Amino acid sequence: MDHFLYRHGQLHAEEVPLTEIAQAVGTPFYCYSTATLTRHFRLFDEALEGLEHLVCYAMKAASNQAIIRTLAALGAGMDVVSGGEYARARAAGVPGERIVFSGVGKTRDEMRAALAGGVRQFNVESEPELDLLNAVALEMGLRAPITIRVNPDVDARTHAKIATGKSENKFGIPIGRAREVYARAAALPGLDVVGVDVHIGSQLTDLEPFRQAYEKVADLTGLLRADGHDIRRLDLGGGLGIPYARSNEAPPLPTEYGALIRETLGHLGCEIEIEPGRLVAGNAGLLVSRVLYVKSGEGRDFLIIDGAMNDLIRPAMYDAHHDIVPVNEPPPGAEQVPYDVVGPVCETGDTFARARMMPELSPGDLVAFRSAGAYGAVMASEYNTRPLVPEVLVNEHQFAVIRARPTFDEMINRDTIPRWL
Ligand code: LLP
């Protein structure tokens, strides 16, 4: 459920008509709903009630300061994957003890920054990373809290580009080698081994792969404890999917996911961390764009809009489906016509949908891409020197621009001319 509904014939974000925001900000823009962000965070928090837990929002999904602040105020921790995300989390007021640092290629500088500013744990992904983190911590006279990310060799049954839990993927340490690597970590004086980490992929629409992974983590936890490690924390990653095509998708609910965690891992008495990104932010955001032209092609009509692949890359990159709806509510029973929905970028890949059935649209009409709040604005670029797409946050009847559209001058002036030119 989200808070983008038609009222009086107009799509609203909470109490605000999207046409009003479009008038103030121009198009395209991202629009987020505070109530939806809040609701989705709470769903996870409540799903783990009774277990000691921390929901660490995977900031990579949408990392605007205003979004992080909104979630942090509800008690969220953060999952960060770069020095930049760490700095963003701290700038938004998230205390270090609520930040977990993930990622397969952490640098020495990132380790130093997180150790200096405070960190809940590093999720370590390789043996060389263990050695480097140990060295950095010792240089600073500290001990770094760590988990080791294990790769359980489970098929997440999702798009190949976002599956991470198979042995051929670059992530984690093969679970079969975990005991050996934990023994090595425990011998390093700059490290404090606190738990186990796993993340098998994103946009999972079935609980079975989670079950397989978490059962393996439960078995491993028993073995590691028998080996003498004080495993007190389990980080279970993110990955729960959302319904992109609302008419025919119904992925599992956070409550069902929570029940699975309880069932597979509850008996271990560990503190549970989860790192959801998409399910928190995805349906809390829309991309709003304006129709520029309707062009008749050979056997098809193109709806040419002012949003493009640089603003929302998911269709081009993952063949992702986003529902696209008119902002003006179509009359009941309105005739539907097929459109190829495309942007202005000079690539055929700049296509959002093919033969999509939609009510008839005209130049000037606004359309909204649903479920665009996660991996939307954060993956945007200025390709074709199109200004980085702005972001707006709505809270009941108020809205605020939380990232402004840069001017052409701002964009151009980021370049510098070398002396010889
Ligand atoms: N934890 C780790 C270690 C991750 O790598 C990810 C996502 C998450 C948590 C959050 O997963 P989520 O709950 O959002 O599924 N750009 C792609 C998705 C990439 C996901 C990368 N890792 C897309 O647009 O579909």
Side-chain angles (χ1 to χ4, degrees), residues 44 56-61 79-81 102-103 123 125 149 158-159 161-162 164 171 197-204 210 235-241 244 274-280 313-314 317-318 320 322 374-376 378-379:
F44 278 112
C56 295
Y57 169 62
M59 270 177 60
K60 62 168 79 69
D79 168 45
V80 307
V81 290
S102 301
N123 294 330
E125 298 224 14
R149 177 168 175 179
T158 182
H159 191 285
K161 286 189 186 163
I162 52 174
T164 56
F171 300 97
D197 173 45
V198 71
H199 169 80
I200 56 173
S202 192
Q203 186 53 19
L204 273 72
F210 286 118
D235 182 334
L236 305 177
L240 196 57
Y244 278 100
I274 54 171
E275 303 169 349
R278 192 187 309 267
L279 208 147
V280 175
I313 202 162
R314 304 194 65 261
M317 193 150 172
Y318 314 108
H322 285 264
Y375 308 111
V378 283
M379 293 182 80

Side-chain angles (χ1 to χ4, degrees), residues 44-46 48-55 271-273:
F44 278 112
D45 208 24
E46 285 161 18
L48 296 180
E49 222 165 54
L51 291 172
E52 196 190 340
H53 71 273
L54 184 67
V55 179
E271 181 181 13
I272 300 292
E273 292 164 351

